[in-house]
Amino acid sequence: MTAATHSTLFPQVPETPDAVLDGLDPEQREVALALHGPVCVLAGAGTGKTRAITHRIAYGVRAGILQPATVLAVTFTNRAAGEMRGRLRQLGATGVQARTFHSAALRQLQYFWPKAVGGELPRLLERKVQLVAEAAARCELRLDRNELRDVTGEIEWAKVTQTVPADYPAAVAKTQRDAPRDPAVLAQIYSTYEQLKRDRSVIDFEDVLLLTVGILQDRHDIADHVRGQYQHFVVDEYQDVSPLQQRLLDLWVGDRDNLCVVGDASQTIYSFTGATPDHLLNFRTRHPGATVVKLVRDYRSTPQVVHLANGLLSQARGRAADHRLELVSQRDKGPEPVYAEYPDEPHEAEATARRVRDLIAAGVPAGEIAILYRVNSQSEVYEQALADAGVPYQLRGAERFFERAEVREAGTALRGAARAGRNDSLLDGAEDLAAQVRAVLSTKGWTTRPPAGSGAVRDRWESLAALVRLAEDFETAKPGATLTDLVRELDERAAAQHAPTVQGVTLASLHAAKGLEWDAVFLVGLTEGMMPIAYAKTEEQIEEERRLLYVGVTRARHHLSLSWSLARSPGGRASRRPTRFLNGLRSGSTAPGARGGAGGGGTGGGGGIDRGTGRSAGAAERRSEAVERRPRQPVRCRVCGRTLTDAGEMKLMRCEECPSDMDEALYGRLLDWRAGQAARLSQPDYCVFTEKTLMAIAEAVPSTEGELVVIAGVGNRKLTRFGADVLAICAGETVGEGPEEGAAES
């Protein structure tokens, strides 16, 4: 089949094992060839991690190194598992098991239950909410639908973190978790729920993992059977593994080391479900001889988007930030990210809708545009603005605003109050429209102060608060409007937004956007209190909010807009402030004490391969804080002063076309030294330093560590490993053999 007739929907199966490797970049190829021993792939957003690991499996199978039936690849969603199976089939690697943790565990549990326990496996409880409601009732508590969702979520969190009911209150206190109810009461509900399951011989999804773990721990013969079948393991999105999933993985692997994990600590945004990046960050400690490969070539986003993403992480703190990856865009230049400030939320929504309409008119498909926000209750004003602009849209990960249960219930209550008029005692003393709405919605859970913490109760309150705000705005726009007028307005809005859409702009929360990408992304409502969210109090919670914004930024391929409004409604007090996360990144803002250099680099370093030396990586990664870190500022050409966005130009600190004052002889000596280092480390030259970085060094001719570390592409780690050699070469001295094998950038 010729290239002209070949469809990308039905790609040709590679004819040979080596052909499987065609088209992979050097780091992806290294992943594909690392078929033995523990392997850790640190893969930044848009760097082709799924491509790398599926080609790894396919190459191993096609080359006869891996037997398909002995490979188990696990991930977290059915969609991701399906995509992995599809890619493996296209590469000619059929027979490999690609499943979610729960799916793989359930198959094993069904097969081994008769032998391990006897009889049939208890019935799987599809939805645990009803049983949680019954457990609460037995504890003399009546929970509404949203409270049930929150309590159910707490039970799930307790189980995946292997916390039994008796230990739940202490676990909440230790983790500073915002529990939706008194922890002692929740522990009682949790205990009663577990007893009800035993009485009725049913299990839930968390039990699938717990019971599989129990059988593999207690029955060594069954554990040996499983390990005999599965001998090679691949785990995608490893930063999202819970303690329970890690325990199951340990039992699957046993004392072998054929394990490949893939993840990015900077994309850890689900800690509230029990996910933790600790297993990813501790991988080198647990497996000292592991091969670590970094994927940092970003094929998704333009240099402008990548520059902003790197800038966000350069200001991050905490352990995940110490392991961040500095992305390098592989795409052509694109437009600069747009920062937009508006007087109020309606103006922000209307302007966003206009810009979306303009992009569609310019040829960007509606399905390639997304508007992303922090919480689902923010969607209503954008739903309305898009409907008014005649732009089709679709919601992802949430019901449409007017289809939410609490909004429908509120509408029914408002409609009843409008019919009753002044005969409704609930409206006594409520003189204006907004006061009447607040009085009615107070019976449905609205209060003047939001509930603490996150979860369904907070979501419900946010929806009702949005209705209160809408009533206030409606009364301002139409003085003298009645409750009947407002109900009519709500009905018209609901009808307008129920129009069917096939290809539409995506409206989604930042959490729901994980794993997706669009040509154009609008990040809206970026104000303090929303980003970071108001209930994020600890440093860990704040940093997870920063990572959530990073995920949002890296969803964009080409166009990126970030906006905020100074007031909630027209004429309101302009008291809001844009998110602190953009300080120093947008024009006119003051940079905090940033980490890394102007290029967004730092301890994360560049891409490359680190072959394990049998030592813990911890000591090598610790660095004295003696080197002063400079605040992040726009990178400008040191010759003409133009703002630089291209990664290569930023390393040189000048435009490509501007004249160079490079010391050619020094550059030659640095190239020779790099070649020797790369040969000793058995790594590509660029894993030591890129040519652009060496050119920048030869132009700057640094004489101190402080002068060297600020050159983009150096950073603290490479300063530690190669700084003495580089400074000696710059001083005209002869250097020795350099660092031992394995000391390259990890």
Side-chain angles (χ1 to χ4, degrees):
M1 184 179 294
T2 66
T5 60
H6 173 54
S7 168
T8 56
L9 293 176
F10 302 97
Q12 281 183 306
V13 173
E15 294 182 0
T16 65
D18 286 342
V20 173
L21 304 177
D22 290 347
L24 299 182
D25 69 29
E27 294 81 25
Q28 292 172 344
R29 188 183 182 91
E30 197 69 26
V31 172
L33 293 173
L35 293 169
H36 299 289
V39 178
C40 180
V41 182
L42 301 176
T47 57
K49 68 180 179 64
T50 304
R51 177 180 174 83
I53 59 176
T54 52
H55 280 69
R56 176 183 187 271
I57 296 170
Y59 176 75
V61 169
R62 297 287 300 278
I65 301 171
L66 305 178
Q67 297 302 311
T70 68
V71 180
L72 176 61
V74 289
T75 186
F76 287 83
T77 66
N78 289 321
R79 181 183 64 81
E83 179 185 358
M84 194 177 293
R85 287 192 295 269
R87 293 200 189 193
L88 289 170
R89 185 173 60 253
Q90 292 169 357
L91 293 170
T94 57
V96 173
Q97 292 293 312
R99 297 184 173 276
T100 65
F101 269 99
H102 281 88
S103 173
L106 182 58
R107 279 171 60 92
Q108 294 176 18
L109 196 60
Q110 290 170 331
Y111 183 81
F112 291 112
W113 185 268
K115 179 179 180 180
V117 181
E120 293 186 0
L121 180 69
R123 179 175 61 86
L124 183 62
L125 197 63
E126 293 291 338
R127 296 181 69 252
K128 58 174 70 72
V129 171
Q130 289 182 329
L131 210 57
V132 172
E134 186 173 342
R138 292 198 177 191
C139 297
E140 299 183 349
L141 287 171
R142 187 177 184 85
L143 305 178
D144 66 24
R145 176 179 172 179
N146 292 282
E147 289 175 315
L148 275 173
R149 198 176 88 184
D150 283 348
V151 171
T152 300
E154 282 300 291
I155 291 174
E156 291 171 351
W157 174 83
K159 298 184 76 167
V160 301
T161 56
Q162 302 176 84
T163 304
V164 298
D167 295 339
Y168 173 77
V172 169
K174 181 179 179 180
T175 58
Q176 296 181 293
R177 189 172 177 83
D178 286 319
R181 286 258 177 169
D182 179 85
V185 173
L186 275 170
Q188 186 181 7
I189 298 173
Y190 177 16
S191 177
T192 305
Y193 166 75
E194 291 296 311
Q195 184 60 52
L196 285 172
K197 285 198 291 109
R198 288 191 292 270
D199 293 344
R200 296 175 188 181
S201 297
V202 294
I203 59 174
D204 59 28
F205 277 99
E206 289 70 43
D207 290 330
V208 170
L209 301 183
L210 286 163
L211 291 170
T212 306
V213 165
I215 288 176
L216 295 178
Q217 284 181 162
D218 296 342
R219 293 290 300 267
H220 298 295
D221 56 330
I222 293 177
D224 289 341
H225 185 119
V226 172
R227 292 167 192 159
Q229 178 179 358
Y230 296 118
Q231 299 170 24
H232 300 271
F233 300 85
V234 177
V235 185
D236 193 12
E237 301 288 2
Y238 193 55
Q239 77 278 354
D240 290 333
V241 166
S242 70
L244 178 56
Q245 289 165 331
Q246 180 62 48
R247 181 62 189 133
L248 177 58
L249 179 63
D250 289 340
L251 289 165
W252 281 341
V253 175
D255 58 2
R256 299 163 300 172
D257 61 2
N258 285 327
L259 170 65
C260 174
V261 301
V262 188
D264 179 9
S266 296
Q267 295 189 68
T268 305
I269 59 173
Y270 296 112
S271 66
F272 59 89
T273 67
T276 171
D278 289 347
H279 306 298
L280 176 66
L281 299 178
N282 293 337
F283 193 83
R284 286 289 300 278
T285 302
R286 296 183 55 175
H287 304 278
T291 295
V292 177
V293 183
K294 288 185 176 183
L295 303 183
V296 298
R297 300 174 192 252
D298 188 312
Y299 297 95
R300 174 188 298 159
S301 305
T302 63
Q304 288 72 21
V305 173
V306 167
H307 184 63
L308 175 56
N310 287 338
L312 275 174
L313 291 189
S314 75
Q315 300 177 1
R317 307 201 175 280
R319 193 170 176 221
D322 291 337
H323 294 260
R324 69 189 181 277
L325 300 168
E326 183 178 355
L327 302 177
V328 181
S329 176
Q330 305 300 298
R331 294 193 56 184
D332 293 336
K333 294 181 180 179
E336 291 287 344
V338 174
Y339 299 92
E341 183 175 279
Y342 298 99
D344 51 65
E345 287 181 11
H347 275 90
E348 183 180 4
E350 290 163 9
T352 301
R354 286 195 301 271
R355 292 194 57 209
V356 166
R357 189 176 56 193
D358 292 344
L359 283 174
I360 295 173
V364 180
E368 288 294 343
I369 303 173
I371 298 174
L372 307 180
Y373 35 75
R374 177 59 181 84
V375 296
N376 286 325
S377 62
Q378 291 174 275
S379 74
E380 192 274 335
V381 67
Y382 292 93
E383 293 177 53
Q384 184 62 44
L386 290 173
D388 292 344
V391 176
Y393 67 87
Q394 54 187 340
L395 275 94
R396 183 178 182 88
E399 299 167 297
R400 295 177 185 272
F401 181 81
F402 287 102
E403 292 174 358
R404 296 173 193 166
E406 63 269 23
V407 175
R408 293 200 305 268
E409 292 170 8
T412 300
L414 290 170
R415 195 170 288 107
R419 283 197 300 267
R422 287 299 175 181
N423 294 324
D424 190 339
S425 60
L426 189 63
L427 302 181
D428 290 348
E431 296 301 326
D432 56 31
L433 175 60
Q436 293 171 17
V437 171
R438 287 192 288 267
V440 173
L441 297 190
S442 65
T443 67
K444 298 299 177 183
W446 179 83
T447 57
T448 55
R449 296 175 64 97
S454 58
V457 172
R458 175 73 181 225
D459 289 346
R460 178 185 178 90
W461 183 90
E462 292 281 6
S463 295
L464 297 177
L467 287 174
V468 171
R469 292 195 297 268
L470 191 149
E472 292 169 349
D473 295 343
F474 186 70
E475 186 175 31
T476 300
K478 297 186 177 182
T482 66
L483 204 52
T484 300
D485 296 330
L486 176 65
V487 168
R488 188 180 301 114
E489 171 70 12
L490 293 177
D491 289 342
E492 290 175 0
R493 287 183 174 228
Q497 294 174 35
H498 285 170
T501 58
V502 178
Q503 170 74 307
V505 173
T506 299
L507 291 175
S509 70
L510 288 165
H511 281 102
K514 177 73 167 66
L516 302 174
E517 58 187 80
W518 295 270
D519 284 344
V521 169
F522 292 81
L523 302 176
V524 299
L526 300 180
T527 59
E528 287 289 312
M530 195 58 75
M531 176 58 65
I533 199 74
Y535 49 77
K537 302 295 186 185
T538 67
E539 181 173 306
E540 286 185 6
Q541 292 168 338
I542 296 293
E543 288 304 317
E544 181 148 338
E545 292 288 300
R546 187 194 307 275
R547 294 194 296 269
L548 189 57
L549 181 57
Y550 172 79
V551 166
V553 167
T554 55
R555 299 310 94 194
R557 298 191 192 104
H558 193 72
H559 301 278
L560 177 63
S561 173
L562 305 95
S563 65
W564 58 91
S565 54
L566 299 179
R568 178 182 60 76
S569 56
R573 182 165 171 257
S575 58
R576 292 175 170 177
R577 292 180 293 118
T579 174
R580 71 192 75 171
F581 299 146
L582 297 180
N583 288 348
L585 302 178
R586 60 183 180 85
S587 177
S589 62
T590 302
R595 301 163 67 92
T603 57
I609 303 98
D610 184 357
R611 306 183 193 284
T613 62
R615 306 175 300 173
S616 168
E621 291 176 352
R622 287 190 290 270
R623 170 69 182 156
S624 169
E625 296 296 326
V627 179
E628 182 180 357
R629 291 170 176 165
R630 63 176 177 173
R632 181 180 177 85
Q633 298 289 349
V635 186
R636 300 188 184 281
C637 174
R638 54 190 170 83
V639 180
C640 70
R642 182 178 68 86
T643 298
L644 303 177
T645 56
D646 177 76
E649 291 182 340
M650 287 190 291
K651 284 184 181 294
L652 293 175
M653 298 290 289
R654 65 170 174 82
C655 305
E656 287 279 6
E657 60 270 22
C658 283
S660 168
D661 55 356
M662 181 176 69
D663 184 334
E664 295 287 349
L666 173 57
Y667 179 59
R669 293 197 302 274
L670 288 169
L671 285 175
D672 291 341
W673 167 82
R674 183 184 71 162
Q677 293 291 331
R680 274 188 290 274
L681 297 171
S682 300
Q683 295 188 0
D685 290 355
Y686 60 77
C687 290
V688 180
F689 285 116
T690 65
E691 290 183 7
K692 287 290 177 62
T693 298
L694 293 185
M695 290 174 67
I697 293 171
E699 290 184 353
V701 194
S703 59
T704 66
E705 284 192 343
E707 293 174 354
L708 177 59
V709 74
V710 296
I711 295 175
V714 179
N716 285 333
R717 288 190 187 177
K718 290 192 177 181
L719 179 68
T720 301
R721 290 160 179 165
F722 305 119
D725 277 7
V726 171
L727 290 173
I729 294 170
C730 289
E733 301 172 7
T734 302
V735 300
E737 289 297 307
E740 61 182 334
E741 182 176 354
E745 184 74 337
S746 63

